[in-house]
């Protein structure tokens, strides 16, 4: 049985792409575009705008590829570029306001009620899309991407307490929306 070193294949593909090999760049794009569109879509509500952000991000990926040090996950490196580009897009196109709030509701970070299994992915995305932009960015960065509040604060130019507050408010809004959906489906609303 022959074992193929996938990491080596990826490294060679990256090296070719650094040399502006269009075939290698197309392979990278084809491999990662579906996942990265999903990442962009988490932050940018309109799918066409999310596609634009993704394409712009891939341009940055290919122009910055020589800086990739092969120390971590290549996909993670691309993902970070996508997230940063989404944040830049939102800042430019919308005036995002973060509400400074020193009141963070208890240990809200410990658990967030699991979203009911009867909700589809589209339903969940729709609920997240309905959040105000500041809440949505912090929610995605914390819950989906796994960043810590101090990292989020640095990325968004807010303090750690504001990040915690935004997350708390986002979770509360989502829980209220889920409860409304459950009540509606149960016929109690």
């Amino acid at each position: 049985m022959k074992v193929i070193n996938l990491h080596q294949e990826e490294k060679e593909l990256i090296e070719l792409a650094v040399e502006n090999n269009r075939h290698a760049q197309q392979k990278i794009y084809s491999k990662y575009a579906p996942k990265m569109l999903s990442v962009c879509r988490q932050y940018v509500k309109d799918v066409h705008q999310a596609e634009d952000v993704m394409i712009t991000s891939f341009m940055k990926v290919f122009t910055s590829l020589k800086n990739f040090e092969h120390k971590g996950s290549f996909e993670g490196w691309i993902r970070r570029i996508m997230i940063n580009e989404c944040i830049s897009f939102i800042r430019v196109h919308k005036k995002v306001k973060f509400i400074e709030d020193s009141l963070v509701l208890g240990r809200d970070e410990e658990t967030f009620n699991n979203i009911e299994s009867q909700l589809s992915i589209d339903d969940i995305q729709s609920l997240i899309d309905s959040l105000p932009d500041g809440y949505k960015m912090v929610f995605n960065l914390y819950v989906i991407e796994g960043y810590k509040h101090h990292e989020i604060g640095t990325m968004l130019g807010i303090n750690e307490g504001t990040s915690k507050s935004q997350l708390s408010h986002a979770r509360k809004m989502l829980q209220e929306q889920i409860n409304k959906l459950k009540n509606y489906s149960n016929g109690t609303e």
Side-chain angles (χ1 to χ4, degrees):
M1 181 166 162
K2 184 178 179 182
V3 177
I4 300 172
N5 187 344
L6 296 177
H7 181 69
Q8 186 61 32
E9 284 182 13
E10 184 176 79
K11 188 174 182 178
E12 290 170 4
L13 189 63
I14 293 168
E15 288 170 0
L16 287 171
V18 166
E19 297 169 4
N20 288 324
N21 180 307
R22 299 293 179 220
H23 181 69
Q25 290 175 342
Q26 179 59 44
K27 276 187 165 183
I28 290 170
Y29 179 85
S30 296
K31 180 177 181 180
Y32 293 107
K35 286 181 186 177
M36 295 307 131
L37 178 58
S38 177
V39 169
C40 292
R41 181 57 191 83
Q42 290 170 348
Y43 295 88
V44 180
K45 188 174 185 176
D46 181 86
V47 71
H48 299 295
Q49 289 178 331
E51 286 174 346
D52 290 345
V53 171
M54 181 194 70
I55 290 168
T56 302
S57 300
F58 267 109
M59 293 301 292
K60 287 189 177 185
V61 164
F62 293 129
T63 57
S64 303
L65 210 47
K66 61 187 172 290
N67 300 327
F68 179 65
E69 299 175 353
H70 300 279
K71 290 184 179 173
S73 158
F74 182 56
E75 181 178 330
W77 183 79
I78 294 173
R79 186 181 193 94
R80 185 159 185 111
I81 291 171
M82 295 290 160
I83 292 167
N84 287 334
E85 193 63 27
C86 288
I87 291 169
S88 294
F89 173 84
I90 292 168
R91 282 187 176 148
V92 167
H93 290 86
K94 299 177 181 182
K95 298 292 183 202
V96 180
K97 293 190 174 155
F98 294 97
I99 302 164
E100 293 281 340
D101 190 354
S102 59
L103 253 179
V104 178
L105 305 175
R107 295 278 302 154
D108 190 40
E109 290 182 28
E110 286 180 7
T111 57
F112 174 61
N113 292 339
N114 290 337
I115 296 178
E116 302 299 318
S117 59
Q118 68 233 25
L119 294 177
S120 71
I121 299 291
D122 290 337
D123 291 336
I124 295 167
Q125 186 63 55
S126 179
L127 291 174
I128 294 171
D129 282 342
S130 70
L131 293 172
D133 289 328
Y135 292 4
K136 181 178 173 180
M137 277 196 290
V138 172
F139 181 84
N140 283 331
L141 289 169
Y142 186 84
V143 174
I144 311 254
E145 304 299 336
Y147 287 103
K148 304 289 184 223
H149 286 294
H150 69 275
E151 295 170 313
I152 295 169
T154 301
M155 290 172 79
L156 300 179
I158 59 177
N159 67 45
E160 189 174 335
T162 301
S163 177
K164 289 178 181 179
S165 174
Q166 297 289 298
L167 178 64
S168 175
H169 292 300
R171 286 178 166 170
K172 184 177 178 185
M173 283 183 76
L174 288 172
Q175 190 62 56
E176 288 170 358
Q177 291 172 343
I178 290 168
N179 288 338
K180 282 182 185 177
L181 284 175
K182 284 178 15 184
N183 290 341
Y184 181 76
S185 67
N186 292 336
T188 57
E189 189 169 292

